[in-house]
Coordinates of all heavy atoms in Angstrom, one line a residue:
M1 N 81.9 117.3 95.8 CA 82.4 116.4 94.7 C 81.6 116.6 93.5 O 80.4 116.5 93.5 CB 82.3 114.9 95.2 CG 83.0 113.9 94.4 SD 82.7 112.2 94.9 CE 82.9 112.2 96.7
S2 N 82.3 117.0 92.4 CA 81.5 117.3 91.2 C 81.7 116.2 90.2 O 82.8 115.8 89.8 CB 81.9 118.7 90.6 OG 83.2 118.6 90.2
F3 N 80.5 115.7 89.7 CA 80.6 114.6 88.7 C 80.3 115.2 87.3 O 79.5 116.1 87.2 CB 79.5 113.6 89.1 CG 79.8 112.7 90.2 CD1 79.6 113.1 91.5 CD2 80.4 111.4 90.0 CE1 79.9 112.3 92.6 CE2 80.7 110.6 91.1 CZ 80.5 111.0 92.4
V4 N 81.0 114.6 86.4 CA 80.8 115.0 85.0 C 80.5 113.7 84.2 O 81.0 112.6 84.6 CB 82.1 115.7 84.4 CG1 82.3 117.1 85.0 CG2 83.3 114.9 84.5
R5 N 79.8 113.9 83.1 CA 79.4 112.8 82.3 C 80.6 112.2 81.5 O 81.3 113.0 80.8 CB 78.3 113.1 81.3 CG 77.8 112.0 80.5 CD 76.7 112.4 79.5 NE 76.1 111.3 78.9 CZ 76.6 110.7 77.8 NH1 77.7 111.1 77.3 NH2 76.0 109.7 77.2
A6 N 80.9 111.0 81.7 CA 82.1 110.4 81.0 C 81.7 109.7 79.7 O 82.4 109.9 78.7 CB 82.7 109.3 81.9
C7 N 80.5 109.0 79.7 CA 80.0 108.4 78.5 C 78.7 107.8 78.8 O 78.2 107.9 79.9 CB 81.0 107.2 78.1 SG 81.2 105.9 79.3
G8 N 78.1 107.1 77.8 CA 76.8 106.5 78.1 C 77.1 105.0 78.5 O 78.0 104.4 78.1
L9 N 76.2 104.6 79.4 CA 76.4 103.2 79.9 C 76.3 102.2 78.7 O 77.0 101.2 78.7 CB 75.3 102.9 80.9 CG 75.3 101.6 81.7 CD1 76.7 101.4 82.4 CD2 74.2 101.5 82.6
S10 N 75.4 102.5 77.8 CA 75.2 101.6 76.6 C 76.4 101.6 75.7 O 76.4 100.8 74.8 CB 73.9 102.0 75.9 OG 73.9 103.4 75.5
E11 N 77.3 102.6 75.8 CA 78.5 102.6 75.0 C 79.5 101.6 75.4 O 80.5 101.3 74.7 CB 79.1 104.0 75.0 CG 78.3 105.1 74.3 CD 78.9 106.5 74.6 OE1 80.2 106.6 74.5 OE2 78.2 107.4 75.0
L12 N 79.4 101.2 76.7 CA 80.5 100.3 77.3 C 80.2 98.8 76.9 O 79.1 98.4 76.9 CB 80.5 100.5 78.8 CG 80.8 101.8 79.3 CD1 80.7 101.9 80.9 CD2 82.2 102.3 78.9
E13 N 81.3 98.2 76.6 CA 81.3 96.7 76.4 C 82.0 96.1 77.6 O 83.1 96.6 78.0 CB 82.0 96.3 75.1 CG 81.2 96.6 73.9 CD 81.9 96.2 72.7 OE1 82.6 95.1 72.7 OE2 81.9 97.0 71.7
E14 N 81.5 95.0 78.1 CA 82.0 94.3 79.2 C 83.5 94.0 79.0 O 83.9 93.5 77.9 CB 81.3 93.0 79.4 CG 81.7 92.2 80.7 CD 81.0 92.7 81.9 OE1 80.1 93.6 81.9 OE2 81.3 92.2 83.0
D15 N 84.4 94.3 80.0 CA 85.8 94.0 80.0 C 86.6 94.8 78.8 O 87.7 94.4 78.5 CB 86.1 92.5 79.8 CG 85.6 91.7 81.0 OD1 85.4 92.3 82.1 OD2 85.4 90.5 80.9
T16 N 86.0 95.8 78.3 CA 86.6 96.6 77.2 C 86.8 98.0 77.7 O 85.8 98.8 77.7 CB 85.8 96.5 75.9 OG1 85.7 95.1 75.5 CG2 86.6 97.3 74.8
P17 N 88.0 98.5 78.0 CA 88.1 99.8 78.6 C 87.8 100.9 77.5 O 88.1 100.7 76.3 CB 89.6 99.9 78.9 CG 90.1 98.5 79.0 CD 89.2 97.7 78.0
K18 N 87.3 102.0 78.0 CA 87.0 103.1 77.1 C 87.7 104.3 77.6 O 87.5 104.7 78.8 CB 85.5 103.4 77.1 CG 85.1 104.5 76.2 CD 83.5 104.7 76.2 CE 83.1 105.8 75.2 NZ 83.5 105.6 73.8
R19 N 88.6 104.9 76.8 CA 89.4 106.1 77.2 C 88.6 107.3 77.0 O 88.0 107.5 75.9 CB 90.7 106.1 76.5 CG 91.5 107.3 76.9 CD 92.8 107.4 76.0 NE 93.4 108.7 76.1 CZ 94.6 108.9 76.7 NH1 95.2 107.9 77.2 NH2 95.0 110.1 76.8
V20 N 88.5 108.2 78.0 CA 87.8 109.5 77.9 C 88.8 110.5 78.5 O 89.7 110.2 79.2 CB 86.5 109.5 78.6 CG1 85.5 108.5 77.9 CG2 86.6 109.2 80.1
E21 N 88.5 111.8 78.3 CA 89.2 112.8 78.9 C 88.3 113.7 79.7 O 87.3 114.2 79.1 CB 90.0 113.7 77.8 CG 91.0 114.6 78.5 CD 92.3 114.6 77.7 OE1 92.7 113.6 77.1 OE2 92.9 115.6 77.7
L22 N 88.5 113.8 81.0 CA 87.6 114.6 81.8 C 88.3 115.7 82.5 O 89.3 115.4 83.3 CB 87.0 113.6 82.9 CG 86.2 112.4 82.3 CD1 85.8 111.5 83.5 CD2 85.0 112.8 81.5
D23 N 88.0 116.9 82.2 CA 88.7 118.1 82.8 C 90.2 118.0 82.6 O 91.0 118.3 83.5 CB 88.4 118.2 84.3 CG 86.9 118.6 84.6 OD1 86.3 119.1 83.7 OD2 86.4 118.3 85.7
G24 N 90.6 117.5 81.4 CA 92.0 117.4 81.1 C 92.7 116.1 81.7 O 93.9 116.0 81.5
T25 N 91.9 115.3 82.3 CA 92.5 114.1 82.9 C 92.1 112.9 82.1 O 90.9 112.6 81.9 CB 92.0 113.9 84.4 OG1 92.3 115.0 85.1 CG2 92.5 112.6 85.0
P26 N 93.1 112.1 81.6 CA 92.8 110.9 80.9 C 92.3 109.8 81.8 O 92.9 109.5 82.8 CB 94.1 110.5 80.2 CG 95.1 111.1 81.1 CD 94.5 112.3 81.7
V27 N 91.1 109.2 81.5 CA 90.5 108.3 82.4 C 90.0 107.1 81.6 O 89.5 107.2 80.4 CB 89.2 108.9 83.1 CG1 88.6 107.9 84.0 CG2 89.7 110.1 83.9
S28 N 90.2 105.9 82.1 CA 89.7 104.7 81.5 C 88.5 104.2 82.3 O 88.5 104.0 83.5 CB 90.8 103.6 81.6 OG 90.4 102.5 80.9
I29 N 87.4 104.1 81.5 CA 86.1 103.6 82.1 C 86.0 102.1 81.8 O 86.1 101.7 80.6 CB 84.9 104.4 81.5 CG1 85.2 105.9 81.5 CG2 83.6 104.0 82.2 CD1 85.2 106.5 82.9
V30 N 85.7 101.3 82.8 CA 85.7 99.9 82.6 C 84.5 99.3 83.3 O 84.3 99.5 84.5 CB 87.0 99.2 83.2 CG1 87.0 97.7 82.9 CG2 88.3 99.9 82.7
Q31 N 83.7 98.5 82.5 CA 82.6 97.8 83.0 C 83.0 96.3 83.2 O 83.3 95.6 82.2 CB 81.4 97.9 82.1 CG 80.2 97.2 82.6 CD 78.9 97.5 81.8 OE1 79.0 97.7 80.6 NE2 77.8 97.5 82.4
T32 N 83.1 95.9 84.4 CA 83.5 94.5 84.7 C 83.1 94.2 86.1 O 82.8 95.1 86.9 CB 85.0 94.4 84.5 OG1 85.3 93.0 84.6 CG2 85.8 95.1 85.6
C33 N 83.1 92.9 86.5 CA 82.7 92.5 87.8 C 81.4 93.1 88.3 O 81.2 93.3 89.5 CB 83.8 92.9 88.8 SG 85.4 92.1 88.5
G34 N 80.5 93.3 87.4 CA 79.1 93.8 87.7 C 79.1 95.3 88.1 O 78.1 95.7 88.7
E35 N 80.2 96.0 87.9 CA 80.3 97.4 88.2 C 80.9 98.2 87.1 O 81.5 97.6 86.2 CB 81.1 97.6 89.5 CG 80.4 97.3 90.8 CD 81.3 97.7 92.0 OE1 81.6 98.9 92.1 OE2 81.7 96.7 92.7
V36 N 80.9 99.5 87.2 CA 81.6 100.4 86.3 C 82.7 101.1 87.2 O 82.4 101.7 88.2 CB 80.7 101.4 85.6 CG1 81.5 102.4 84.8 CG2 79.6 100.7 84.8
F37 N 83.9 101.1 86.7 CA 85.1 101.7 87.4 C 85.7 102.8 86.5 O 85.6 102.8 85.3 CB 86.1 100.6 87.6 CG 85.7 99.5 88.5 CD1 85.2 98.3 87.9 CD2 85.7 99.6 89.9 CE1 84.8 97.2 88.7 CE2 85.3 98.5 90.7 CZ 84.8 97.3 90.1
A38 N 86.3 103.7 87.2 CA 87.0 104.8 86.5 C 88.4 104.8 87.1 O 88.6 105.0 88.4 CB 86.3 106.1 86.7
I39 N 89.4 104.7 86.3 CA 90.8 104.7 86.8 C 91.6 105.6 85.8 O 91.4 105.7 84.6 CB 91.4 103.2 86.7 CG1 92.8 103.2 87.4 CG2 91.4 102.6 85.3 CD1 93.3 101.7 87.7
N40 N 92.6 106.3 86.4 CA 93.4 107.2 85.6 C 94.1 106.3 84.5 O 94.5 105.2 84.7 CB 94.5 107.8 86.5 CG 95.2 108.9 85.7 OD1 96.0 108.7 84.8 ND2 95.0 110.2 86.1
D41 N 94.1 106.9 83.3 CA 94.5 106.0 82.1 C 96.0 105.9 82.0 O 96.4 105.1 81.1 CB 93.9 106.6 80.8 CG 94.0 105.6 79.7 OD1 93.7 104.4 79.9 OD2 94.4 106.0 78.6
I42 N 96.8 106.5 82.8 CA 98.2 106.5 82.7 C 98.8 105.5 83.7 O 98.7 105.7 84.9 CB 98.9 107.9 82.8 CG1 98.2 108.8 81.8 CG2 100.4 107.8 82.5 CD1 98.3 108.4 80.3
C43 N 99.6 104.5 83.3 CA 100.3 103.6 84.2 C 101.2 104.4 85.1 O 101.8 105.4 84.7 CB 101.0 102.6 83.3 SG 101.9 101.4 84.3
S44 N 101.3 103.9 86.3 CA 102.2 104.6 87.3 C 103.7 104.3 87.1 O 104.6 104.8 87.7 CB 101.8 104.3 88.7 OG 102.0 102.9 89.0
H45 N 104.0 103.3 86.2 CA 105.4 102.9 85.9 C 106.0 103.8 84.8 O 107.1 104.2 84.8 CB 105.4 101.4 85.6 CG 106.8 101.0 85.3 ND1 107.1 100.3 84.1 CD2 107.9 101.0 86.1 CE1 108.4 100.0 84.2 NE2 108.9 100.4 85.4
A46 N 105.2 104.0 83.7 CA 105.7 104.8 82.6 C 104.4 105.4 81.9 O 103.3 105.1 82.2 CB 106.5 104.0 81.7
N47 N 104.7 106.3 81.0 CA 103.6 107.0 80.3 C 102.9 106.2 79.3 O 103.0 106.4 78.1 CB 104.1 108.3 79.7 CG 103.0 109.2 79.3 OD1 101.9 109.0 79.6 ND2 103.4 110.2 78.5
V48 N 102.1 105.2 79.7 CA 101.4 104.2 78.8 C 99.9 104.2 79.1 O 99.5 104.3 80.3 CB 102.1 102.8 79.0 CG1 101.2 101.8 78.4 CG2 103.5 102.8 78.5
S49 N 99.1 104.1 78.1 CA 97.7 104.1 78.3 C 97.2 102.8 78.8 O 97.3 101.8 78.1 CB 97.1 104.5 76.9 OG 95.7 104.5 77.0
L50 N 96.6 102.8 80.0 CA 96.1 101.5 80.5 C 94.9 101.0 79.7 O 94.6 99.8 79.7 CB 95.7 101.7 82.0 CG 96.8 101.9 83.0 CD1 96.3 102.1 84.4 CD2 97.8 100.7 83.0
S51 N 94.1 101.9 79.1 CA 92.9 101.4 78.3 C 93.3 100.5 77.2 O 92.4 99.9 76.6 CB 92.1 102.6 77.9 OG 92.9 103.5 77.1
E52 N 94.6 100.5 76.8 CA 95.0 99.6 75.7 C 95.3 98.2 76.3 O 95.7 97.3 75.5 CB 96.2 100.1 75.0 CG 95.8 101.4 74.2 CD 97.0 102.1 73.6 OE1 98.0 101.5 73.3 OE2 96.9 103.3 73.4
G53 N 95.2 98.0 77.6 CA 95.5 96.7 78.2 C 94.3 95.8 78.4 O 93.2 96.2 78.0
E54 N 94.5 94.7 78.9 CA 93.4 93.7 79.1 C 92.8 93.8 80.5 O 93.5 94.2 81.4 CB 94.0 92.3 78.9 CG 94.7 92.1 77.6 CD 94.2 90.9 76.9 OE1 94.0 89.9 77.5 OE2 94.0 91.0 75.7
V55 N 91.5 93.5 80.5 CA 90.8 93.5 81.8 C 90.5 92.0 82.2 O 90.0 91.3 81.4 CB 89.4 94.3 81.7 CG1 88.6 94.1 82.9 CG2 89.7 95.7 81.4
D56 N 90.7 91.7 83.5 CA 90.5 90.4 83.9 C 90.4 90.4 85.5 O 91.2 91.0 86.1 CB 91.6 89.4 83.5 CG 91.4 88.0 84.0 OD1 90.2 87.5 83.8 OD2 92.3 87.4 84.5
D57 N 89.3 89.8 86.0 CA 89.2 89.6 87.4 C 89.3 90.9 88.2 O 90.0 91.0 89.2 CB 90.2 88.6 87.9 CG 90.0 88.1 89.4 OD1 88.8 88.2 89.8 OD2 91.0 87.7 90.0
C58 N 88.6 91.9 87.7 CA 88.5 93.2 88.4 C 89.9 94.0 88.4 O 90.1 94.8 89.2 CB 88.0 93.2 89.8 SG 86.4 92.5 90.0
H59 N 90.8 93.6 87.4 CA 92.1 94.2 87.3 C 92.2 94.7 85.8 O 91.6 94.1 84.9 CB 93.2 93.3 87.6 CG 93.3 93.0 89.1 ND1 92.4 92.3 89.8 CD2 94.3 93.4 90.0 CE1 92.8 92.2 91.1 NE2 93.9 92.9 91.2
I60 N 93.1 95.7 85.7 CA 93.4 96.1 84.3 C 95.0 95.9 84.2 O 95.7 96.3 85.1 CB 93.0 97.5 84.0 CG1 93.2 97.8 82.5 CG2 93.7 98.6 84.9 CD1 92.4 99.1 82.0
E61 N 95.4 95.3 83.1 CA 96.8 95.0 83.0 C 97.5 95.9 82.0 O 97.0 96.2 80.9 CB 96.9 93.6 82.4 CG 98.4 93.1 82.3 CD 98.5 91.6 81.9 OE1 97.8 90.8 82.5 OE2 99.2 91.4 80.9
C62 N 98.6 96.5 82.4 CA 99.4 97.4 81.5 C 100.0 96.5 80.4 O 100.7 95.5 80.7 CB 100.5 98.1 82.3 SG 101.5 99.1 81.3
W63 N 99.8 96.9 79.2 CA 100.3 96.0 78.1 C 101.8 96.0 77.9 O 102.4 95.1 77.3 CB 99.6 96.5 76.8 CG 99.9 97.9 76.4 CD1 99.1 99.0 76.7 CD2 101.0 98.4 75.6 NE1 99.7 100.1 76.3 CE2 100.9 99.8 75.6 CE3 102.1 97.8 75.0 CZ2 101.8 100.6 74.9 CZ3 103.0 98.6 74.4 CH2 102.8 100.0 74.3
L64 N 102.4 97.1 78.5 CA 103.9 97.2 78.2 C 104.7 96.2 79.1 O 105.5 95.5 78.6 CB 104.3 98.7 78.4 CG 105.7 99.0 77.9 CD1 105.9 98.6 76.5 CD2 106.1 100.4 78.1
H65 N 104.5 96.3 80.4 CA 105.3 95.4 81.3 C 104.5 94.5 82.1 O 105.1 93.8 83.0 CB 106.2 96.3 82.2 CG 107.1 97.2 81.4 ND1 107.1 98.6 81.6 CD2 108.1 97.0 80.5 CE1 108.0 99.1 80.8 NE2 108.6 98.2 80.1
G66 N 103.2 94.5 82.0 CA 102.4 93.5 82.6 C 101.9 93.7 84.1 O 101.4 92.8 84.7
S67 N 102.2 94.9 84.6 CA 101.6 95.2 86.0 C 100.1 95.2 85.9 O 99.5 95.7 85.0 CB 102.1 96.5 86.5 OG 103.5 96.5 86.9
R68 N 99.5 94.6 87.0 CA 98.0 94.6 87.0 C 97.5 95.5 88.1 O 98.0 95.4 89.3 CB 97.6 93.1 87.3 CG 97.7 92.2 86.0 CD 97.6 90.8 86.4 NE 96.7 90.5 87.5 CZ 95.4 90.2 87.3 NH1 94.9 90.0 86.1 NH2 94.6 89.9 88.3
F69 N 96.6 96.4 87.8 CA 96.1 97.3 88.8 C 94.6 96.9 89.1 O 93.8 96.7 88.3 CB 96.1 98.7 88.2 CG 97.5 99.2 87.9 CD1 98.0 99.0 86.6 CD2 98.2 99.9 88.9 CE1 99.3 99.4 86.4 CE2 99.5 100.3 88.6 CZ 100.1 100.1 87.3
D70 N 94.4 96.9 90.5 CA 93.1 96.6 91.0 C 92.1 97.8 90.6 O 92.4 98.9 91.1 CB 93.1 96.3 92.5 CG 91.8 95.8 93.0 OD1 90.7 96.2 92.6 OD2 91.9 94.9 93.9
L71 N 91.1 97.5 89.9 CA 90.2 98.6 89.5 C 89.4 99.2 90.7 O 88.9 100.3 90.6 CB 89.2 98.1 88.5 CG 89.8 97.9 87.1 CD1 88.9 96.9 86.3 CD2 90.0 99.2 86.4
R72 N 89.4 98.5 91.8 CA 88.7 99.1 93.0 C 89.6 100.0 93.8 O 89.1 100.9 94.4 CB 88.2 97.9 93.9 CG 87.2 97.0 93.2 CD 87.1 95.6 93.8 NE 88.3 94.9 93.5 CZ 88.4 93.6 93.5 NH1 87.4 92.8 93.8 NH2 89.6 93.0 93.3
S73 N 90.9 99.7 93.8 CA 91.8 100.5 94.6 C 92.9 101.3 93.9 O 93.5 102.2 94.4 CB 92.5 99.6 95.7 OG 93.3 98.7 95.0
G74 N 93.1 100.8 92.6 CA 94.2 101.4 91.8 C 95.6 100.8 92.2 O 96.6 101.1 91.6
K75 N 95.6 99.9 93.2 CA 96.9 99.3 93.6 C 97.5 98.3 92.6 O 96.7 97.4 92.1 CB 96.8 98.7 95.0 CG 96.6 99.7 96.1 CD 96.5 99.1 97.4 CE 96.2 100.1 98.5 NZ 95.5 99.6 99.6
P76 N 98.8 98.3 92.4 CA 99.3 97.3 91.5 C 99.5 96.0 92.3 O 99.8 96.0 93.5 CB 100.7 97.9 91.1 CG 101.1 98.8 92.2 CD 99.8 99.3 92.8
D77 N 99.4 94.8 91.7 CA 99.6 93.6 92.4 C 100.8 92.8 91.8 O 101.0 91.7 92.1 CB 98.4 92.7 92.4 CG 98.0 92.1 91.1 OD1 98.6 92.5 90.1 OD2 97.1 91.3 91.1
A78 N 101.5 93.5 90.8 CA 102.7 92.9 90.3 C 103.7 93.9 89.8 O 103.3 95.0 89.3 CB 102.3 92.0 89.1
L79 N 105.0 93.6 90.0 CA 106.0 94.6 89.5 C 105.9 94.6 88.0 O 105.4 93.7 87.4 CB 107.4 94.1 90.0 CG 107.6 94.1 91.5 CD1 108.9 93.4 91.8 CD2 107.6 95.6 92.0
P80 N 106.5 95.6 87.3 CA 107.4 96.6 87.9 C 106.7 97.8 88.5 O 107.4 98.6 89.2 CB 108.2 97.0 86.7 CG 107.3 96.9 85.5 CD 106.5 95.7 85.9
A81 N 105.4 98.0 88.3 CA 104.8 99.2 89.0 C 104.7 99.0 90.5 O 104.4 97.9 91.0 CB 103.4 99.4 88.4
T82 N 105.0 100.0 91.2 CA 104.9 100.0 92.7 C 104.0 101.0 93.3 O 103.5 100.8 94.4 CB 106.3 100.2 93.3 OG1 106.8 101.5 92.9 CG2 107.3 99.1 93.0
R83 N 103.6 102.0 92.5 CA 102.7 103.0 93.0 C 101.3 102.8 92.4 O 101.2 102.4 91.3 CB 103.2 104.4 92.6 CG 104.5 104.9 93.3 CD 105.0 106.2 92.8 NE 105.5 106.0 91.4 CZ 105.1 106.7 90.4 NH1 104.2 107.6 90.5 NH2 105.6 106.5 89.2
P84 N 100.3 103.1 93.2 CA 98.9 103.0 92.7 C 98.6 104.0 91.6 O 99.3 105.1 91.6 CB 98.0 103.2 93.9 CG 98.9 103.9 94.9 CD 100.3 103.6 94.6
V85 N 97.6 103.7 90.9 CA 97.0 104.7 89.9 C 95.7 105.2 90.5 O 95.0 104.5 91.1 CB 96.7 103.9 88.6 CG1 96.0 104.8 87.6 CG2 98.0 103.4 87.9
P86 N 95.5 106.5 90.4 CA 94.3 107.1 91.0 C 93.0 106.4 90.4 O 92.9 106.2 89.2 CB 94.3 108.5 90.6 CG 95.7 108.8 90.4 CD 96.3 107.6 89.8
V87 N 92.1 106.1 91.3 CA 90.7 105.7 90.9 C 89.7 106.7 91.3 O 90.0 107.4 92.3 CB 90.4 104.3 91.4 CG1 91.2 103.2 90.8 CG2 90.5 104.2 92.9
Y88 N 88.6 106.8 90.6 CA 87.6 107.9 90.9 C 86.2 107.3 91.1 O 85.9 106.3 90.6 CB 87.6 108.8 89.6 CG 89.0 109.3 89.2 CD1 89.6 108.8 88.1 CD2 89.7 110.2 90.0 CE1 90.8 109.2 87.7 CE2 90.9 110.7 89.6 CZ 91.5 110.1 88.4 OH 92.8 110.6 88.1
P89 N 85.5 108.1 91.9 CA 84.1 107.7 92.2 C 83.2 107.7 90.9 O 83.4 108.6 90.1 CB 83.6 108.7 93.2 CG 84.8 109.4 93.8 CD 85.8 109.3 92.7
V90 N 82.3 106.7 90.8 CA 81.5 106.6 89.6 C 80.0 106.6 90.1 O 79.7 106.0 91.1 CB 81.8 105.3 88.8 CG1 80.8 105.1 87.7 CG2 83.2 105.3 88.3
K91 N 79.2 107.3 89.4 CA 77.7 107.2 89.6 C 77.0 106.9 88.3 O 77.5 107.4 87.2 CB 77.2 108.6 90.1 CG 77.3 108.9 91.5 CD 76.4 110.0 92.0 CE 76.4 111.3 91.2 NZ 75.8 112.4 92.0
I92 N 76.0 106.1 88.3 CA 75.2 105.8 87.1 C 73.9 106.5 87.3 O 73.2 106.3 88.3 CB 75.0 104.3 87.0 CG1 76.3 103.5 87.0 CG2 74.3 104.0 85.6 CD1 77.3 103.8 85.9
E93 N 73.5 107.3 86.3 CA 72.2 107.9 86.3 C 71.5 107.7 85.0 O 71.9 108.3 84.0 CB 72.3 109.4 86.6 CG 72.6 109.7 88.1 CD 72.6 111.2 88.4 OE1 72.4 112.1 87.5 OE2 72.9 111.6 89.5
G94 N 70.6 106.8 85.0 CA 70.0 106.4 83.7 C 71.0 105.7 82.8 O 71.7 104.8 83.2
D95 N 71.3 106.3 81.6 CA 72.3 105.8 80.7 C 73.6 106.6 80.9 O 74.6 106.3 80.1 CB 71.8 105.8 79.3 CG 72.8 105.1 78.3 OD1 73.2 104.0 78.6 OD2 73.3 105.8 77.4
D96 N 73.7 107.5 81.8 CA 74.9 108.3 82.0 C 75.8 107.7 83.0 O 75.4 107.4 84.1 CB 74.5 109.8 82.4 CG 73.8 110.5 81.3 OD1 74.0 110.2 80.1 OD2 73.0 111.4 81.6
V97 N 77.1 107.6 82.6 CA 78.2 107.3 83.5 C 78.8 108.6 84.0 O 79.4 109.3 83.1 CB 79.2 106.3 82.8 CG1 80.3 106.0 83.8 CG2 78.5 105.0 82.4
L98 N 78.7 108.9 85.2 CA 79.2 110.1 85.8 C 80.5 109.8 86.7 O 80.5 108.9 87.4 CB 78.2 110.8 86.6 CG 76.8 111.0 86.0 CD1 75.8 111.6 87.0 CD2 77.0 112.0 84.8
V99 N 81.5 110.6 86.5 CA 82.7 110.4 87.2 C 83.2 111.7 87.9 O 83.1 112.8 87.3 CB 83.8 109.9 86.3 CG1 85.2 109.7 87.0 CG2 83.4 108.6 85.6
S100 N 83.7 111.6 89.1 CA 84.3 112.8 89.7 C 85.8 112.6 89.7 O 86.4 111.8 90.4 CB 83.8 112.9 91.2 OG 84.5 113.9 91.8
V101 N 86.5 113.4 88.9 CA 87.9 113.4 88.8 C 88.6 114.4 89.8 O 89.8 114.4 90.0 CB 88.5 113.6 87.4 CG1 88.2 112.5 86.5 CG2 88.1 115.0 86.9
T102 N 87.7 115.1 90.6 CA 88.2 116.0 91.5 C 88.6 115.3 92.9 O 89.2 115.9 93.7 CB 87.3 117.2 91.8 OG1 86.0 116.6 92.2 CG2 87.1 118.0 90.6
Q103 N 88.0 114.1 93.0 CA 88.3 113.4 94.2 C 88.7 111.9 93.9 O 87.9 111.3 93.2 CB 87.1 113.4 95.2 CG 87.4 112.7 96.5 CD 86.3 112.8 97.5 OE1 85.7 113.9 97.6 NE2 85.9 111.8 98.2
E104 N 89.8 111.5 94.4 CA 90.2 110.1 94.2 C 89.6 109.3 95.3 O 89.4 109.7 96.5 CB 91.7 110.0 94.3 CG 92.4 110.7 93.2 CD 93.9 110.9 93.3 OE1 94.5 110.2 94.2 OE2 94.5 111.7 92.6
S105 N 89.1 108.1 95.0 CA 88.5 107.2 96.1 C 89.5 106.2 96.5 O 90.6 106.0 96.0 CB 87.2 106.6 95.6 OG 87.5 105.8 94.5
Ligands
FES1 S1 104.6 101.0 81.7 FE1 103.0 99.9 82.8 S2 104.1 98.4 83.9 FE2 105.7 99.5 82.8

């Protein structure tokens, strides 16, 4: 599993997604619920950036139709999305947030 640096931990604001591109994959980095999560930035319902949505209770909400994805599993808990969004392993090393987009967790 190869980890790449996504951003600095100090660049993140609680409950405010940060969009990055890692090896050509758009990823939303989210600090919430006492952890840092990495979820694919594209909603599984349509081609919409999840990082423009709201974060609440360990979920990120798609701003277009309101599906909420669990940041721990990527699973939607509300229609219209029915398919999960990939989530990725995260490691923190000092101020570096490292993500492996080669393996979904
Ligand atoms: S585009 Fe995200 S729920 Fe429809």
Side-chain angles (χ1 to χ4, degrees):
M1 195 186 308
S2 64
F3 283 84
V4 294
R5 184 181 187 279
C7 62
L9 187 59
S10 55
E11 294 170 43
L12 296 175
E13 283 179 44
E14 186 81 5
D15 296 340
T16 303
K18 180 178 181 64
R19 181 187 164 108
V20 297
E21 192 136 325
L22 303 174
D23 293 338
T25 302
V27 178
S28 183
I29 310 293
V30 185
Q31 185 172 30
T32 190
C33 295
E35 278 187 65
V36 177
F37 299 95
I39 187 166
N40 192 289
D41 194 44
I42 305 301
C43 182
S44 63
H45 181 236
N47 190 12
V48 165
S49 178
L50 289 177
S51 59
E52 292 172 28
E54 304 232 318
V55 173
D56 181 45
D57 191 25
C58 302
H59 288 68
I60 189 165
E61 182 176 311
C62 178
W63 60 269
L64 190 54
H65 303 120
S67 284
R68 283 162 40 91
F69 297 89
D70 191 320
L71 288 160
R72 297 158 292 201
S73 65
K75 291 184 183 151
D77 71 352
L79 293 171
T82 55
R83 287 174 294 123
V85 173
V87 293
Y88 307 106
V90 175
K91 277 198 310 195
I92 308 295
E93 285 184 2
D95 186 54
D96 292 333
V97 177
L98 308 173
V99 176
S100 173
V101 290
T102 55
Q103 181 173 320
E104 297 169 12
S105 62

